[in-house]
Amino acid sequence: MVSISGAHDWEWASFWDVTILGWLRAVLDRLPTGQPRESPAASPAAPECMSLLELARLLPMRHSDRVASAYVEVVTFASADEIVAMLKVMLEEDWMALPVWARNLAFRLACLQRPEDGELLHVAASDLRAFGPDWNHIAEELRHRADSLAAGKDLASP
């Protein structure tokens, strides 16, 4: 279990938790029982049986509630190694292909599993900064934490 320490980490965690919960509520609210379902022939494999990378590749081509839900479920329980590998492939194939919410969620979950991985924190910070000023303060906190880790500083000291 990953613990979050420090006031700035808590604020960052709270921001992302609220953002992710809001998105998940929006997805779940759009799934009434009367909504037409995709036909099984519409996709080659059921999203529930796909790997994280397969789902990530499917998101930009055929974004649907079913695919998004499967992606959220798989990425939530994926290891940091699997998430980082998926992000690396997706960002190399087409930097803009993965929807912002999906990449933010993936980076968030990987960073929670590897809070001491300075390289991952730097990549996550750069990615956040690329998507607007709304997240720049969070990106700056991530960058600062990564720089502190690289310098071997104790983050708890002033």
Side-chain angles (χ1 to χ4, degrees), residues 22 47-48 53 65 72 94 103 107-108 110-112 114 120 122:
E48 299 79 18
L53 181 57
D65 292 339
V72 169
D94 182 355
R103 63 197 293 148
F107 273 115
R108 170 75 175 126
C111 288
L112 282 173
R114 289 190 188 164
L120 175 59
H122 267 293

PDB file of all heavy atoms in Angstrom, residues 22 47-48 53 65 72 94 103 107-108 110-112 114 120 122:
ATOM      1  N   GLY A  22     -14.890  12.445 -10.269  1.00  0.00           N
ATOM      2  CA  GLY A  22     -15.857  13.178 -11.083  1.00  0.00           C
ATOM      3  C   GLY A  22     -16.031  12.552 -12.449  1.00  0.00           C
ATOM      4  O   GLY A  22     -17.146  12.401 -12.953  1.00  0.00           O
ATOM      5  N   PRO A  47     -13.965  -5.868 -24.531  1.00  0.00           N
ATOM      6  CA  PRO A  47     -12.995  -5.036 -23.828  1.00  0.00           C
ATOM      7  C   PRO A  47     -12.554  -5.631 -22.490  1.00  0.00           C
ATOM      8  O   PRO A  47     -11.427  -5.436 -22.084  1.00  0.00           O
ATOM      9  CB  PRO A  47     -13.726  -3.713 -23.629  1.00  0.00           C
ATOM     10  CG  PRO A  47     -14.746  -3.665 -24.693  1.00  0.00           C
ATOM     11  CD  PRO A  47     -15.138  -5.103 -24.926  1.00  0.00           C
ATOM     12  N   GLU A  48     -13.425  -6.364 -21.849  1.00  0.00           N
ATOM     13  CA  GLU A  48     -13.097  -6.930 -20.542  1.00  0.00           C
ATOM     14  C   GLU A  48     -11.962  -7.947 -20.625  1.00  0.00           C
ATOM     15  O   GLU A  48     -11.329  -8.267 -19.639  1.00  0.00           O
ATOM     16  CB  GLU A  48     -14.335  -7.579 -19.911  1.00  0.00           C
ATOM     17  CG  GLU A  48     -15.484  -6.618 -19.656  1.00  0.00           C
ATOM     18  CD  GLU A  48     -16.302  -6.281 -20.898  1.00  0.00           C
ATOM     19  OE1 GLU A  48     -16.249  -6.998 -21.918  1.00  0.00           O
ATOM     20  OE2 GLU A  48     -17.001  -5.252 -20.854  1.00  0.00           O
ATOM     21  N   LEU A  53      -2.673  -2.212 -22.875  1.00  0.00           N
ATOM     22  CA  LEU A  53      -2.214  -1.591 -24.117  1.00  0.00           C
ATOM     23  C   LEU A  53      -3.272  -1.701 -25.207  1.00  0.00           C
ATOM     24  O   LEU A  53      -3.523  -0.740 -25.939  1.00  0.00           O
ATOM     25  CB  LEU A  53      -0.896  -2.217 -24.573  1.00  0.00           C
ATOM     26  CG  LEU A  53      -0.295  -1.638 -25.851  1.00  0.00           C
ATOM     27  CD1 LEU A  53      -0.062  -0.130 -25.722  1.00  0.00           C
ATOM     28  CD2 LEU A  53       0.997  -2.353 -26.200  1.00  0.00           C
ATOM     29  N   ASP A  65     -18.488   3.997 -23.749  1.00  0.00           N
ATOM     30  CA  ASP A  65     -18.557   3.794 -22.304  1.00  0.00           C
ATOM     31  C   ASP A  65     -18.000   2.430 -21.921  1.00  0.00           C
ATOM     32  O   ASP A  65     -17.331   2.286 -20.907  1.00  0.00           O
ATOM     33  CB  ASP A  65     -20.007   3.913 -21.818  1.00  0.00           C
ATOM     34  CG  ASP A  65     -20.525   5.334 -21.947  1.00  0.00           C
ATOM     35  OD1 ASP A  65     -19.705   6.273 -22.009  1.00  0.00           O
ATOM     36  OD2 ASP A  65     -21.757   5.508 -21.973  1.00  0.00           O
ATOM     37  N   VAL A  72     -10.566   1.798 -17.412  1.00  0.00           N
ATOM     38  CA  VAL A  72     -10.468   2.245 -16.015  1.00  0.00           C
ATOM     39  C   VAL A  72     -10.255   1.051 -15.096  1.00  0.00           C
ATOM     40  O   VAL A  72      -9.407   1.083 -14.198  1.00  0.00           O
ATOM     41  CB  VAL A  72     -11.718   3.053 -15.598  1.00  0.00           C
ATOM     42  CG1 VAL A  72     -11.744   3.283 -14.096  1.00  0.00           C
ATOM     43  CG2 VAL A  72     -11.758   4.379 -16.335  1.00  0.00           C
ATOM     44  N   ASP A  94       1.780   7.613 -31.002  1.00  0.00           N
ATOM     45  CA  ASP A  94       1.069   8.847 -31.351  1.00  0.00           C
ATOM     46  C   ASP A  94       0.853   9.623 -30.058  1.00  0.00           C
ATOM     47  O   ASP A  94      -0.024   9.293 -29.272  1.00  0.00           O
ATOM     48  CB  ASP A  94      -0.274   8.527 -32.020  1.00  0.00           C
ATOM     49  CG  ASP A  94      -1.017   9.787 -32.450  1.00  0.00           C
ATOM     50  OD1 ASP A  94      -0.561  10.912 -32.161  1.00  0.00           O
ATOM     51  OD2 ASP A  94      -2.085   9.645 -33.078  1.00  0.00           O
ATOM     52  N   ARG A 103      -4.616   9.256 -19.963  1.00  0.00           N
ATOM     53  CA  ARG A 103      -3.193   9.371 -19.650  1.00  0.00           C
ATOM     54  C   ARG A 103      -2.985   9.955 -18.268  1.00  0.00           C
ATOM     55  O   ARG A 103      -2.099   9.524 -17.538  1.00  0.00           O
ATOM     56  CB  ARG A 103      -2.444  10.136 -20.735  1.00  0.00           C
ATOM     57  CG  ARG A 103      -2.897  11.554 -20.883  1.00  0.00           C
ATOM     58  CD  ARG A 103      -2.502  12.227 -22.183  1.00  0.00           C
ATOM     59  NE  ARG A 103      -1.092  12.448 -22.327  1.00  0.00           N
ATOM     60  CZ  ARG A 103      -0.460  12.428 -23.495  1.00  0.00           C
ATOM     61  NH1 ARG A 103      -1.109  12.176 -24.604  1.00  0.00           N
ATOM     62  NH2 ARG A 103       0.817  12.659 -23.563  1.00  0.00           N
ATOM     63  N   PHE A 107      -0.875   8.008 -15.450  1.00  0.00           N
ATOM     64  CA  PHE A 107       0.269   8.608 -14.768  1.00  0.00           C
ATOM     65  C   PHE A 107       0.020   8.694 -13.262  1.00  0.00           C
ATOM     66  O   PHE A 107       0.902   8.418 -12.456  1.00  0.00           O
ATOM     67  CB  PHE A 107       0.584  10.002 -15.321  1.00  0.00           C
ATOM     68  CG  PHE A 107       1.499   9.993 -16.501  1.00  0.00           C
ATOM     69  CD1 PHE A 107       1.060  10.426 -17.738  1.00  0.00           C
ATOM     70  CD2 PHE A 107       2.814   9.561 -16.395  1.00  0.00           C
ATOM     71  CE1 PHE A 107       1.901  10.439 -18.840  1.00  0.00           C
ATOM     72  CE2 PHE A 107       3.669   9.559 -17.482  1.00  0.00           C
ATOM     73  CZ  PHE A 107       3.209   9.992 -18.708  1.00  0.00           C
ATOM     74  N   ARG A 108      -1.167   9.069 -12.885  1.00  0.00           N
ATOM     75  CA  ARG A 108      -1.504   9.206 -11.465  1.00  0.00           C
ATOM     76  C   ARG A 108      -1.330   7.876 -10.734  1.00  0.00           C
ATOM     77  O   ARG A 108      -0.717   7.805  -9.671  1.00  0.00           O
ATOM     78  CB  ARG A 108      -2.946   9.706 -11.323  1.00  0.00           C
ATOM     79  CG  ARG A 108      -3.508   9.661  -9.944  1.00  0.00           C
ATOM     80  CD  ARG A 108      -2.930  10.771  -9.091  1.00  0.00           C
ATOM     81  NE  ARG A 108      -3.584  10.759  -7.803  1.00  0.00           N
ATOM     82  CZ  ARG A 108      -2.937  10.701  -6.665  1.00  0.00           C
ATOM     83  NH1 ARG A 108      -1.641  10.700  -6.637  1.00  0.00           N
ATOM     84  NH2 ARG A 108      -3.599  10.681  -5.533  1.00  0.00           N
ATOM     85  N   ALA A 110       0.416   5.235 -11.677  1.00  0.00           N
ATOM     86  CA  ALA A 110       1.820   4.809 -11.680  1.00  0.00           C
ATOM     87  C   ALA A 110       2.619   5.592 -10.639  1.00  0.00           C
ATOM     88  O   ALA A 110       3.434   5.014  -9.910  1.00  0.00           O
ATOM     89  CB  ALA A 110       2.418   4.989 -13.072  1.00  0.00           C
ATOM     90  N   CYS A 111       2.381   6.893 -10.544  1.00  0.00           N
ATOM     91  CA  CYS A 111       3.103   7.724  -9.562  1.00  0.00           C
ATOM     92  C   CYS A 111       2.737   7.348  -8.135  1.00  0.00           C
ATOM     93  O   CYS A 111       3.583   7.412  -7.239  1.00  0.00           O
ATOM     94  CB  CYS A 111       2.837   9.204  -9.809  1.00  0.00           C
ATOM     95  SG  CYS A 111       3.651   9.868 -11.288  1.00  0.00           S
ATOM     96  N   LEU A 112       1.509   6.955  -7.906  1.00  0.00           N
ATOM     97  CA  LEU A 112       1.120   6.513  -6.560  1.00  0.00           C
ATOM     98  C   LEU A 112       1.836   5.223  -6.174  1.00  0.00           C
ATOM     99  O   LEU A 112       2.166   5.011  -5.017  1.00  0.00           O
ATOM    100  CB  LEU A 112      -0.391   6.309  -6.476  1.00  0.00           C
ATOM    101  CG  LEU A 112      -1.227   7.568  -6.328  1.00  0.00           C
ATOM    102  CD1 LEU A 112      -2.706   7.241  -6.436  1.00  0.00           C
ATOM    103  CD2 LEU A 112      -0.927   8.267  -5.013  1.00  0.00           C
ATOM    104  N   ARG A 114       4.792   4.348  -7.418  1.00  0.00           N
ATOM    105  CA  ARG A 114       6.234   4.617  -7.403  1.00  0.00           C
ATOM    106  C   ARG A 114       6.504   6.069  -6.996  1.00  0.00           C
ATOM    107  O   ARG A 114       7.022   6.856  -7.785  1.00  0.00           O
ATOM    108  CB  ARG A 114       6.819   4.403  -8.790  1.00  0.00           C
ATOM    109  CG  ARG A 114       6.888   2.986  -9.239  1.00  0.00           C
ATOM    110  CD  ARG A 114       7.723   2.969 -10.502  1.00  0.00           C
ATOM    111  NE  ARG A 114       7.711   1.680 -11.129  1.00  0.00           N
ATOM    112  CZ  ARG A 114       8.103   1.492 -12.384  1.00  0.00           C
ATOM    113  NH1 ARG A 114       8.514   2.500 -13.122  1.00  0.00           N
ATOM    114  NH2 ARG A 114       8.089   0.282 -12.894  1.00  0.00           N
ATOM    115  N   LEU A 120       9.978   8.870 -13.440  1.00  0.00           N
ATOM    116  CA  LEU A 120       8.543   8.812 -13.711  1.00  0.00           C
ATOM    117  C   LEU A 120       7.869  10.125 -13.337  1.00  0.00           C
ATOM    118  O   LEU A 120       7.026  10.632 -14.077  1.00  0.00           O
ATOM    119  CB  LEU A 120       7.899   7.649 -12.945  1.00  0.00           C
ATOM    120  CG  LEU A 120       6.382   7.525 -13.037  1.00  0.00           C
ATOM    121  CD1 LEU A 120       5.922   7.355 -14.485  1.00  0.00           C
ATOM    122  CD2 LEU A 120       5.901   6.374 -12.172  1.00  0.00           C
ATOM    123  N   HIS A 122       9.202  13.088 -13.324  1.00  0.00           N
ATOM    124  CA  HIS A 122       9.563  14.086 -14.342  1.00  0.00           C
ATOM    125  C   HIS A 122       8.719  13.919 -15.601  1.00  0.00           C
ATOM    126  O   HIS A 122       8.227  14.899 -16.159  1.00  0.00           O
ATOM    127  CB  HIS A 122      11.047  13.978 -14.709  1.00  0.00           C
ATOM    128  CG  HIS A 122      11.928  14.873 -13.912  1.00  0.00           C
ATOM    129  ND1 HIS A 122      11.902  16.244 -14.012  1.00  0.00           N
ATOM    130  CD2 HIS A 122      12.866  14.584 -12.976  1.00  0.00           C
ATOM    131  CE1 HIS A 122      12.781  16.770 -13.192  1.00  0.00           C
ATOM    132  NE2 HIS A 122      13.382  15.779 -12.539  1.00  0.00           N
TER     133      HIS A 122
END
